[in-house]
Amino acid sequence: MTALTLTINGKTMQADRGQTILQAAQQYGVDIPTLCAYKDLPPFGGCRMCVVEVDGMRGFPTACTTPVEEGMVIRTETSTLQSLRLETFNMLLSEHPLSCLVCPENGNCTECMMTIRKGGVTTGCGSCPKDNQCELQTLAKRLGVDDIRLPVKYRMYPVEKYDPFYDRDYNLCILCGRCVQVCEKLHLLSTLTFVERGARTVVGTAFGRNHVDAGCSFCGACVDRCPTGALTEKTRKWEGVAEQEFESTCTYCAAGCSIRLQVRKGMVIGSLPGNDYSVNAGNLCVHGRFGISEVVNHAARLKKPWYLIDGRKFECSWEEAIERTAEKLTGLKPGQISMQVSANLPDEDLYLAGKFAHQVLGIPQADAGNIKHLSGFERLIKHAASFEQLRKADCVLIAGLNTHYSLSWLEFDLKELKRNGAFLISIGSGKRPLDQFVHELIYSRDDQAESVIGQLVETGEKVAIEKETSAAVRSASALHRSVRPFLLIGPEYTGNAGILDKLALLAEKLHAGVICLPMRGNIYGVLRSGAEYSINHRVDQPELLYCIGEQPTLPAAYTIYQNAFPAESGRVDIGMPAALFSERDGTFTNAELRQRQLSRAVDPPEMALPDWQIIAAIARKMGAAGFEFKSAAEIREDFGNARVNENWNPDIVNALLALPSGQPNEPVFLGSPLSTKVAGLRTLFPSLKAEAGER
Amino acid sequence: MLDLASRRKAAQEVWQELENSSLPVIYFGMASCGRAAGAIEVRKAVEEALDENFLTARLVDVGCIGPCYLEPLMDIALPGWARVSYGQMTPAKAKKLVVAALKSGAPPLDDALGVLEPLAFRQTGDIPHLFDHPMLKPQVRIVLRNCGLIDPEELDHYLAHEGYMGLQKALQMSPEEVIDQVRLSGLRGRGGSGFPTYKKWEICRAVPGEEKYLVCNADEGDPGAFMNRSLIEGDPHALLEGILIAAYAIGANHGVIYIRAEYPLAIARLRKALKQMRENNLLGNNILGTNFSFEIKIKEGAGAFVCGEETALFASIEGKRGMPRSRPPFPAVKGLFGKPTVNNNVETLGTLPNILRNGAEWYHQYGTPTSSGTKTYSLVGKVRRTGLIEVPLGMTLRQIIFDIGGGTEKPFKSVQTGGPSGGCLSAEYLDTPVDYEALRAAGSIMGSGGLIVMDTDTCVVDIAHYFLEFIQKESCGKCAPCRIGTRHLAETLERITTGMAEPEDLETLKRLSVTIAQGSLCGLGQSAPNSVITSLRSFTLEYEAHVHQKYCPAGVCKNLFQYVILPDACTGCQACARVCPVDAITGSLKQPHSIDSSICIRCRACYEACRFNAIEGRPLA
């Protein structure tokens, strides 16, 4: 970076070669108004707000597109520029419902007439979901707009509400192009483009298809970047501005993406990509972006403990519920109890559930002597690497991963990898966005995948590549030649023991880095905490079934059910409401084997408690020692002291990984597919099924 | 490796053989313009006539020589006779003419336009040379030198006319020397901006990089402009030779011709020419045995006007939406696919072989010191002799419109230069020399060379409205001033032409024009308001009449005038009453007629039918 000297508004400043005038000015706090420029997008130059005067340059160049040069003399606030900006802004406003912006009664109106909000059609700021968050409002103030001198040209587009998760009202759109650019930047199949020409130009999809059909992955990046109310999230459109934000982790799949929970009035109103870029680099997939507020605010959340007598349900206090539970558990032998714990729980709860099983209920830990081999999954874990390492790989085998919806943010990383010269190989069945993109595509039905991967293991690097060489052989050669090979394993294969075995062989032979991403939240936490044996302690006809975050699928004489959501079927004798990840502190172990932080953004609903508190209370009630925890941090300490089980039972690991229901790419959360809680997902996943059927 | 000298000799023999043919040769002007005027039917009729009368002749399709108003054109060359040109052919006329000529052995001379080379030792019937025709005489044909004379699909014809001699000379020089030749010639970009061609080349040549592109902009999108199409259809090898010279000079290894898909004939001829080049070692690896290797691809544009803007054009070639981007970085540094690129217009490239062949000095003798050489224009509108012309730069508008174009029927009112983004220049600008600086000073642009002539029957507000409608529909929509501003501008003009305007609308026009011109991203937006600014300046009274008196003096804006019959001038011939589609005209024979304004739909039929100028547009009562 060479430092350059330039003059902005008479002040001498330093800038780096390659910077734009806008970037240089912003470094020094010089405010140049912009609408289309956005920090992580390439300059567009469409809104013309950032026009400046530069000595020696013809006309009025835009600060966002013009690179700095040595000795440039720049002026950003001359009267010509101000009037040019104001006139252009007037033009933008002439297409945008602006009555509130220039209304002298604006202040009183906001105070007194809150009820006019939530209109089906936005006619002014008062009825716009982005009121007070809109960049046009800010700019109107900055430029001093009091009236516009042009006729109003409302564009009369119908509001597009037929796709899940976000609504589109292009009457409010100023065509800044951020959504189009970010879609192209992040995704293999970019959905958005400009359609039509001239005054009829609008953002849309090819052939006017809806976003589901056009291949949108619903990552929400466009919504986050929209400066106006044109793109709004359905569930939070009327929730207003967030009062607080909490950095946390999405627990839906094993990636453990960083998220930012937005909170207003004690409620999670939305989730945005978090500031920790190590995993998801500022992007999310549909589950983390749109799936969280609907789940944590779900109307069916359990709020009070209860018990069942003669088919009648009695709500009760925690003391009573704990007492009844302790009473039932006391005196039963391990062979009479089946305890099932969800892999979605945070590390602390998993650890405590395991401890409870061994120490209180007496369920034995796996016996090292009985275990003949490790499962493929465990062998892969020994190669677990980080997403940062993935980004440095030079050859990546993408196995059983469809980035269309789940993990769609990986597409950006894969694009970057390809741009940096990495060789990409995809193996899987069904149509997927990766098909056209990777260097080698190996189609295989799931039952053939095992043998194809076996072929990758056996074929060495010194294979002669000819015209008729198969994709598998070419891929094998590339993998064996590579210096930093990487295996990226998606949910389609994580449940298949045979395929995992072969992939483990491949990883061992190549010394490859591995990221294995099952759609079962904290599966790594389960294995790490050594709790896996107890967690899926299955007894076929138990006397008593204790489900923590799982559905009661076994017929039992007595069922104790501890979850945030009601049981989908079966009889529950004691029910206990649990808090969710947004309502408690804790950690979560992701596919990199890193502990990711959860944070308590809001209080649990009514009486609901974190699972560890419930388990600890039951243990104490049963007279067990070592359960006197006051916080999740204390459990973590205890956890650190405990011996972590190294001897996992492969059968149980495989059983854990096999998904009970739902699409392979859809997270299972607390015992049921996420789409049972998130309405929008129901429109996405049937199409996935149909797609797979097409081939 | 091809020995071009012997190849040329063979080509000359082919051409000689055609010129000295013992059979009669009939040439047809078969460019798109000729075809549209009926050349295909004429040729068919001639074929039939030959068959019916057991006559034989060689039929040759050539390009367009320029005078559109005389289309379709046909030349007959009989043994011992010069090539005689005939215009405004119809199938019947052509049949008669060919039969008469071939049977008698002498071409009928009554309808002949003129004769063409070769004249030596041949009868000319004492009719003048075609190039002494008033439309052609003031012209200097450099780019168009072969158009209409040779068969564009025959490489031999081009080679026989000193084809690829420019390339040969260029390849004997170093690229720097070629650039220097172009610098000395003073050639400036013929696409409109007039940027010195050598400068672009120099910058691009200086940028380090293995891969460089030469792009030929053949996306001729201005309504009423057809210079590039005519050149490609009439002499495709001239363009391709120019491309090779430019590519050699800048060190490009890939060439792309971006041409509108609406030019199927031009595309077909280019493809054929490329094939011929490949067969003759004029394209591909080691062209003419040198180290210079080059490939040319044709990319068909989908017809967006904005794709004539170079950065939008690159986006379109790259498969993206045709939207311009801001400069810098300039294409010469970062252009097509991010590589250094030179984008030249068809005419610029078509001129290069002539400069290289004849030398920079020779070229510089034409035109003015700052705008040297010749420029082609499509001269259209209310002018008597419309067509494609090539004249030295610096010729005045008056010479072009009145000497070449033959003036207008009704009094001259205005001329729009440079297509829809150009300005309307009134009669006071008629003595403006047509060069880059003078036109810009007058508030207009050279553009790619459209000249639309208007007479007093044309309403400038209506014309400005037409152009703004065009531009606002063709705006790519990227930047706000162009997308929204041109829409407001067009709608304000519409209000004015329909009588709905408020007095402040004239102010609105000016304000919008300034914002659009200053604020837009690319040339399309920056020049969009030119027609409004210039017409508002020269024809203020006409605008004011529309706004204040609700009157269109030209009698074009239907809501703003009524037709009346002047009793003193009317002879009662009833011609007007007969053509009136709504029976609004009454009056008995030889008595002055009258028009019922409440029935009249202002279709203009009576106005055009009246031979006594007895019908006039008047303000509404």
Side-chain angles (χ1 to χ4, degrees), chain A residues 44-46 48 57 60 65 84 87-88 91-92 94-95 149-151 153 174-175 194 196-199 201, chain B residues 304 321 323 326 472-481 483-484 487-488 491 511-512 515 518-521:
Chain A
F44 186 65
R48 318 305 289 171
M57 280 182 88
F60 301 90
T65 60
L84 184 55
E87 285 291 329
T88 309
M91 287 176 183
L92 283 173
S94 75
E95 290 192 332
R149 292 185 292 176
L150 291 168
K153 293 288 167 203
I174 55 163
L175 288 140
F194 295 103
E196 300 280 356
R197 268 187 248 171
T201 312
Chain B
R321 187 172 196 264
M323 285 202 296
S326 303
Q472 75 113 347
K473 286 199 181 107
E474 290 296 336
S475 161
C476 77
K478 180 171 176 176
C479 74
R483 178 182 76 245
I484 311 171
R487 180 188 184 196
H488 280 294
E491 286 178 5
R511 225 180 53 232
L512 284 168
T515 310
Q518 293 183 339
S520 294
L521 193 160

Side-chain angles (χ1 to χ4, degrees), chain A residues 606-672:
Chain A
E606 297 193 17
M607 292 167 72
L609 289 175
D611 289 291
W612 66 264
Q613 282 190 21
I614 306 172
I615 299 168
I618 297 169
R620 285 198 300 270
K621 194 62 159 184
M622 290 169 76
F627 286 88
E628 294 80 18
F629 300 108
K630 293 209 173 54
S631 70
E634 285 180 20
I635 304 177
R636 274 199 296 283
E637 234 168 76
D638 191 47
F639 186 0
N641 300 333
R643 182 182 68 89
V644 172
N645 190 3
E646 294 282 327
N647 305 305
W648 301 304
N649 183 337
D651 296 338
I652 290 175
V653 174
N654 291 335
L656 269 172
L657 288 163
L659 290 176
S661 59
Q663 304 283 343
N665 276 336
E666 186 189 356
V668 171
F669 187 64
L670 297 179
S672 28

